[in-house]
Amino acid sequence: MNGLRPVTVITGASAGIGVALARVFARNGHALALVARREDRLRALADEIAATGSPKPLVIAADLQRSDAARVIGEALAAQGAEPQFMVNNAGFGLVGTAAALDRGEQLAMIDVNMRALTELSLAFVDSLARHRGGILNVGSMAGFLPGPGMAVYYATKAYVLSFSEALHSELKSRGVRVTVLCPGPVPTEFAARAGLSDSMAPGILTQSAERVAEAGYRGLMQGRRMIVPGLANKLVTLLIRGFPRRLLLAIVDRRQGRRRSAQQT
Ligand SMILES: NC(=O)c1ccc[n+]([C@@H]2O[C@H](COP(=O)([O-])OP(=O)(O)OC[C@H]3O[C@@H](n4cnc5c(N)ncnc54)[C@H](OP(=O)(O)O)[C@@H]3O)[C@@H](O)[C@H]2O)c1
């Protein structure tokens, strides 16, 4: 051991599922480091968690779109005498629209946040995760099981998260590092507004609260599970998807996203 204290680093802890994950980890006795761009929100959450009697979380303002984000986070942790025991890669966003019509720079930024930063942060701290017998929770999506016309780059980033995390689960097992990929369906958060949908998603059978998703992810990680799809209906759908012809899936997603886009235009 090197004298650094172990913390759970949670990216995207300024909103939605990230806030819920922070509360679940804190409730279960983990010291936290909260990461996102909106520092005021992180500070408010850190105060809220400290008020419950848990250790006050560290706050690290960082933009995961930047290529030096992992270094900035590592240095900020070390400067405060901490190192990761658990790494929760939750930050991410989507964009609704056809890939050729959407802004190319924004779509590449999505790849930077959803894939590049997640990959670097999964790999950067493996020694310290192993030292503290911790692990990695990567937030994917049910979208990772499908091709996604109408949100093509987002679905593809989540397919990457799923594939990468499952492989890492297998690779890091021998080092005692747990790796779990959490694949939620629709969750009412700021995600829809950020994706360009002005209306929030109408709740359906697959919709789960951020709290339920976070609880399921936490439990799955602690149990060393490879993949968690929160919700019974959601699990069934992902099982069905795997047996469905790809051509049919494309047509179904295309129709659904097309309906969303025309609802936006009216
Ligand atoms: N909501 C859903 O329906 C749903 C379904 C399946 C999977 N997911 C996944 O769940 C994860 C969390 O999404 P959410 O629903 O909680 O969305 P959200 O409410 O919009 O929160 C997104 C979080 O990501 C952070 N983030 C975005 N860009 C960032 C950047 N460049 N640098 C640092 N942090 C950044 C945001 O923080 P700042 O803006 O403060 O930086 C925010 O904390 C995402 O990976 C998403 O793909 C969501």
Side-chain angles (χ1 to χ4, degrees), residues 2 5 16 37 67 84 91 105 111 114 119 141 156 165 176 184 193 222 246:
N2 53 14
R5 86 200 135 80
R37 289 166 303 180
S67 59
I111 290 175
N114 296 9
T119 304
S141 169
S165 306
M222 292 306 142
R246 207 74 172 163

Side-chain angles (χ1 to χ4, degrees), residues 139-148 151-164 166 181-185 227 229 238 241-242 246 249 253:
V139 180
S141 169
M142 282 176 71
F145 294 92
L146 294 157
M151 261 185 122
V153 175
Y154 176 71
Y155 275 55
T157 65
K158 293 301 177 178
Y160 173 86
V161 173
L162 178 58
S163 172
F164 171 66
E166 286 194 285
V181 58
L182 174 63
C183 302
M227 177 178 62
V229 179
T238 56
I241 286 172
R242 279 172 270 186
R246 207 74 172 163
L249 288 174
V253 180

